[in-house]
């Protein structure tokens, strides 16, 4: 009994610390990375007018950006689980830097596609490695750490409407050059993170952190849990893709908004989503990953279904609530997958976050084509039903056991 008590007293001292300095710098880098990526959909109204593009063509641009990132993220994560590459972080942002410069200058639709693919490559490299750094710096607060990391990215995405209203509307396509210094700043900050990452690798190599978890095969229940989780990501990603890429056109057509006014609404949705992302992680640390995932997806369904029927002032409030509730599960799903399959931090981050981009990519093309054929109002109404698929979350196993290191589900 005394031995047990002594072990309990010693345990807190052996717990790894949460490194807030690294997490905050990483979150800021994520903000810069995703604000650069957000320039692409933010430029849609500009490109539509200057190049006379259809909704389908805009969807293909989003597809090129997100699909490259989606395909590469799990591959990068899988490879770096075996052979971590700290300096891939600044190298990836260099690809984004080149892409953002080209996007501001290219005169043709084909070259726009090439530009966004370079941005997608940078994103594919950054996200799984960034998630790994957040995991390494988390200590015992994995939900909070992932939230700090992910809230940076979602805040960067939320800046897209402001980018449109304040930079791209007055300056046009060439305004994208203003973001080249942003990309360079991110490269320099990630060089600092890469140095810290390298030092941690030498320590972790001595401890052989992943050796035991890699020998355990995945059970059928774990595979089923992953399949359900990915399907929920599919539902959330299609809805968010519709809102970020096309809801501005709905506002312009149905409420007679200007481009600038419509972007304020999109900003409200994304900014509330960033806030929800931050609070989702700590709530999951306290109440469980599965519970927060369920509350997030299903809790947003009444709002998304009623949103198309709301008058403009009420729609603004509903957008705030929808963004907060729906995005509360963003970082939680990443941590859920990483704890479900220990030792595969990069692979799970690439799979969950990468799939989100990929599903958004396919959604952009499909929803753009549907909107061309059936109209944007019907598209928005039907997409509002997607969060009802959150009912599948009832079949997710409770994380209360395996989130502390056990694998029984």
């Amino acid at each position: 009994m005394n031995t047990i008590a002594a072990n309990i007293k010693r345990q807190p001292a052996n717990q790894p610390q949460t490194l807030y300095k690294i997490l905050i710098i990483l979150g800021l880098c994520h903000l810069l990375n995703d604000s650069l990526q957000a320039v692409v959909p933010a430029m849609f109204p500009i490109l539509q007018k200057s190049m006379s593009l259809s909704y389908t063509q805009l969807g293909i641009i989003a597809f090129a950006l997100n699909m490259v990132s989606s395909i590469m993220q799990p591959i990068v994560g899988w490879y770096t689980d075996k052979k971590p590459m700290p300096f891939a972080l600044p190298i990836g942002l260099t690809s984004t830097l080149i892409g953002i410069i080209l996007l501001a200058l290219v005169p043709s639709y084909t070259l726009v596609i090439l530009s966004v693919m370079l941005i997608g490559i940078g994103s594919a490299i950054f996200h799984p490695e960034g998630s790994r750094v957040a995991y390494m710096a988390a200590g015992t607060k994995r939900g909070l750490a992932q939230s700090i990391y992910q809230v940076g990215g979602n805040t960067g995405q939320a800046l897209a409407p402001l980018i449109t209203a304040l930079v791209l509307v007055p300056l046009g396509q060439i305004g994208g050059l203003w973001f080249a210094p942003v990309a360079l700043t991110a490269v320099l900050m990630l060089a600092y993170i890469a140095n810290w990452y390298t030092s941690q690798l030498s320590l972790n190599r001595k401890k052989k952190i992943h050796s035991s978890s890699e020998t355990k095969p995945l059970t059928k229940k774990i595979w089923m849990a992953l399949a359900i989780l990915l399907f929920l990501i599919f539902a959330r990603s299609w809805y968010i893709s519709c809102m970020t890429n096309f809801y501005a056109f709905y506002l312009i057509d149905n409420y007679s908004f200007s481009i600038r006014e419509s972007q304020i609404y999109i900003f409200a949705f994304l900014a509330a989503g960033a806030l929800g992302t931050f609070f989702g992680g700590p709530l999951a640390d306290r109440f469980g990953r599965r519970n927060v995932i369920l509350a997030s997806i299903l809790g947003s369904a009444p709002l998304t279904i009623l949103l198309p029927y709301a008058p403009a002032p009420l729609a603004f409030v509903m957008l705030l609530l929808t963004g907060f509730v729906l995005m509360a599960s963003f970082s939680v799903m990443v941590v859920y997958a990483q704890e479900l399959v220990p030792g595969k931090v990069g692979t799970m981050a690439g799979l969950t976050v990468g799939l989100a981009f990929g599903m958004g990519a396919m959604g952009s093309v499909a929803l753009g084509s549907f909107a061309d054929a059936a109209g944007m109002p019907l598209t928005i109404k039907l997409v509002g039903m997607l969060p009802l698929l959150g009912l599948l979350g009832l079949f997710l196993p409770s994380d209360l056991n395996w989130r502390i290191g056990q694998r029984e589900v």
Side-chain angles (χ1 to χ4, degrees), residues 35-230:
S35 65
L36 294 168
Q37 190 169 340
V39 170
V40 178
M43 203 175 280
F44 277 4
I46 309 299
L47 294 175
Q48 186 193 43
K49 286 191 175 182
S50 64
M51 297 184 181
S52 301
L53 303 180
S54 67
Y55 290 135
T56 301
Q57 288 175 307
L58 293 176
I60 291 172
I61 294 174
F63 178 85
L65 170 69
N66 296 331
M67 205 61 187
V68 168
S69 176
S70 172
I71 291 173
M72 287 189 63
Q73 277 195 52
I75 296 173
V76 171
W78 170 81
Y79 182 79
T80 54
D81 277 335
K82 297 179 177 296
K83 187 178 180 181
M85 300 175 63
F87 283 91
L89 287 165
I91 291 172
L93 256 292
T94 302
S95 174
T96 299
L97 170 61
I98 296 170
I100 208 71
I101 293 173
L102 288 177
L103 182 62
L105 299 175
V106 295
S108 69
Y109 178 69
T110 302
L111 291 177
V112 167
I113 297 294
L114 174 62
S115 301
V116 301
M117 288 178 69
L118 287 172
I119 296 172
I121 289 171
S123 177
I125 295 172
F126 173 81
H127 282 99
E129 282 298 87
S131 185
R132 185 193 309 282
V133 172
Y135 192 92
M136 293 167 65
T140 58
K141 300 178 180 179
R142 291 177 181 172
L144 174 62
Q146 198 65 221
S147 285
I148 293 173
Y149 168 62
Q150 297 292 354
V151 77
N154 289 342
T155 302
Q157 294 172 17
L159 293 176
L162 296 184
I163 290 169
T164 301
L166 300 178
V167 179
L168 299 179
V169 169
L171 297 179
Q173 186 177 346
I174 195 68
L177 283 178
W178 282 79
F179 301 96
V182 174
L184 181 59
T185 301
V187 171
L188 296 176
M189 294 177 69
L190 286 174
Y192 172 83
I193 290 291
N195 282 319
W196 176 84
Y197 185 177
T198 302
S199 67
Q200 290 299 114
L201 285 179
S202 62
L203 295 174
N204 292 350
R205 203 172 287 119
K206 294 176 183 178
K207 297 176 183 178
K208 298 181 180 179
I209 289 177
H210 302 310
S211 58
S212 62
S213 62
E214 290 179 342
T215 61
K216 296 180 181 179
L218 301 184
T219 66
K220 290 183 179 180
K221 289 184 178 181
I222 291 176
W223 281 114
M224 181 62 68
L226 284 174
I228 294 172
L229 186 68
L230 296 181

Side-chain angles (χ1 to χ4, degrees), residues 229-285:
L229 186 68
L230 296 181
F231 199 80
L232 294 179
I233 292 173
F234 156 83
R236 188 191 63 202
S237 298
W238 270 51
Y239 183 80
I240 293 172
S241 174
C242 180
M243 299 300 289
T244 56
N245 292 322
F246 300 117
Y247 189 65
F249 298 107
Y250 178 84
L251 292 169
I252 292 169
D253 292 341
N254 287 269
Y255 300 117
S256 300
F257 278 18
S258 65
I259 293 177
R260 189 185 299 269
E261 289 172 330
S262 69
Q263 296 305 311
I264 298 297
Y265 273 59
I266 304 302
F267 171 74
F269 172 74
L270 294 175
L275 194 62
T277 298
F278 177 78
F279 282 102
L283 287 172
D285 284 338

